[in-house]
Amino acid sequence: MAGLIERWRDRLPFGPGDPVVSLEEGSTPLVPAPTLGERVGAEVWLKIEGANPTGSFKDRGMTCAVSAAVREGAGAVICASTGNTAASAAAYAARAGLTGAVIVPEGKIATGKLAQALMHGATVIALRGNFDQALQIVRELAERRPVALVNSVNPYRLEGQKTAAFEILDELGEIDALCIPVGNAGNITAYWKGFSEMGAAPRMHGFQAAGAAPLVEGAPVEHPETVASAIRIGNPARWEEAMAAMRDSRGAVAAVTDEQILDAYRFLASREGVFCEPASAASVAGLLVHGAPEGAQRIVCVLTGHGLKDPQTALEQAGSVVPCDADGEAVERAIYGEA
Ligand code: F0G
């Protein structure tokens, strides 16, 4: 399967001769979720964005942002990140032969994401501060230095990410509602752009973690906190656009607690066979807690990142292993209990 610039070139700002930096991202699985559907009384589908090359939806935006950076002659890329943008930027920079620097909140990004950014050779700065401060710093730095800023304030990021909406419409025709986690608010903005360009208008339901819910509270959160580290953001860059998307589509923004997020996280893994990271489960937590939007029969939940990104949270939430001697009968007893 081709990468997304190739697949959707006529709807993207890239000409036939332009350089393309791709890892064959996009074209991710759209999987029915019958157990979830039964619980909420609607047809529910999961858009598995963890199946992208670096394990998150960021690759959709990054193929476009890094391709544009190469076209513009940039030698380096930079971003602030809660982890996934860092992993994706590092991979696409490596692919393009650019240097990459990523600024992450110290101690607050999941292990898998850190391993990825380091393995791809990016300079990883652990900021003694949060994501919002990191974004402020890289925005200023990108003004002083010749470096491409690849956060979702970069319009190419949204161009790439809007293609997920195209894929959903391609497979399902119409849908009634989209449930999606909201952090820096780029992705919900991108989906709405994608749907709008195709003349579709599903209700956009954004979900934030209760400890990091500026859009719900209507004011920036100075010290955001949540187990869903990917969306631990207190002052989203795409605030106005995200609110407009939800208003114009007759959707809504709502909060889900860490407990509700973790319930949905375990439910998806144990009942639907789909392992996503905690932030991603916010979309499903929102659907479970707040119910299907009125009249919505066909709903898509976006699962933004792979569960393996955050093995620590998984091990804390899952059952424990069963230690056993290397003996057939002992194994049998361990599995089937005492005879
Ligand atoms: N889900 C995951 C797994 C994410 O990594 C992010 C954002 C979101 C949802 C929210 O998307 O910011 O467009 O509203 N992660 C960014 C990062 C902030 O740095 O990796 P958004």
Side-chain angles (χ1 to χ4, degrees):
M1 183 66 86
L4 68 79
I5 293 180
E6 211 176 308
R7 180 170 176 192
W8 301 107
R9 193 188 289 271
D10 57 338
R11 301 181 182 281
L12 292 171
F14 293 95
D18 288 341
V20 171
V21 182
S22 172
L23 292 164
E24 306 227 342
E25 57 294 307
S27 304
T28 55
L30 185 59
V31 176
T35 312
L36 177 56
E38 205 171 302
R39 282 225 184 159
V40 301
E43 181 188 316
V44 182
W45 298 76
L46 306 172
K47 183 66 170 157
I48 314 281
E49 288 293 282
N52 276 296
T54 77
S56 85
F57 72 95
K58 305 289 180 176
D59 296 343
R60 290 183 186 274
M62 213 52 75
T63 183
C64 291
V66 174
S67 295
V70 169
R71 185 171 63 188
E72 287 153 20
V77 301
I78 195 167
C79 67
S81 180
T82 55
N84 281 323
T85 300
S88 185
Y92 283 79
R95 183 88 181 165
L98 307 180
T99 59
V102 303
I103 324 292
V104 301
E106 183 181 36
K108 295 292 187 180
I109 84 165
T111 319
K113 305 173 188 179
L114 188 59
Q116 288 178 289
L118 290 168
M119 276 302 290
H120 289 304
T123 301
V124 179
I125 312 279
L127 194 77
R128 288 187 281 277
N130 62 31
F131 171 85
D132 303 290
Q133 293 168 303
L135 184 58
Q136 181 65 32
I137 289 167
V138 295
R139 287 177 97 147
E140 286 164 13
L141 203 144
E143 308 242 306
R144 296 197 299 274
R145 297 271 183 172
V147 59
L149 180 61
V150 296
N151 279 106
S152 58
V153 293
N154 179 329
Y156 287 99
R157 281 278 311 278
L158 301 197
E159 289 297 313
Q161 287 168 215
K162 76 183 181 186
T163 60
F166 298 166
E167 291 174 17
I168 290 170
L169 295 174
D170 222 29
E171 279 187 58
L172 294 180
E174 260 181 83
I175 65 166
D176 300 313
L178 186 89
C179 297
I180 183 169
V182 176
N184 209 26
N187 210 28
I188 189 168
T189 303
Y191 270 84
W192 182 238
K193 186 170 198 290
F195 285 126
S196 301
E197 286 180 12
M198 302 295 277
R203 287 154 79 161
M204 305 293 287
H205 286 262
F207 295 102
Q208 300 203 287
L215 299 187
V216 179
E217 288 167 26
V221 175
E222 205 180 334
H223 300 291
E225 272 312 336
T226 170
V227 68
S229 59
I231 51 172
R232 185 174 166 271
I233 293 174
N235 193 7
R238 297 274 183 182
W239 185 310
E240 299 302 334
E241 288 140 296
M243 292 310 288
M246 292 182 271
R247 187 188 57 236
D248 296 348
S249 67
R250 299 181 306 114
V253 65
V256 281
T257 65
D258 279 5
E259 200 184 329
Q260 290 164 343
I261 288 173
L262 292 173
D263 281 348
Y265 173 65
R266 287 186 306 259
F267 169 83
L268 283 167
S270 65
R271 303 297 299 279
E272 296 287 8
V274 175
F275 186 24
C276 65
E277 65 171 285
S280 309
S283 62
V284 170
L287 179 60
L288 284 168
V289 172
H290 297 277
E294 208 186 310
Q297 279 161 10
R298 180 179 286 167
I299 301 166
V300 173
C301 292
V302 182
L303 298 185
T304 46
H306 201 289
L308 289 172
K309 291 273 190 177
D310 189 353
Q312 241 145 350
T313 303
L315 290 171
E316 281 161 23
Q317 291 299 314
S320 43
V321 299
V322 181
C324 188
D325 289 332
D327 170 83
E329 279 177 26
V331 171
E332 208 171 344
R333 269 199 307 280
I335 298 171
Y336 299 101
E338 300 296 334

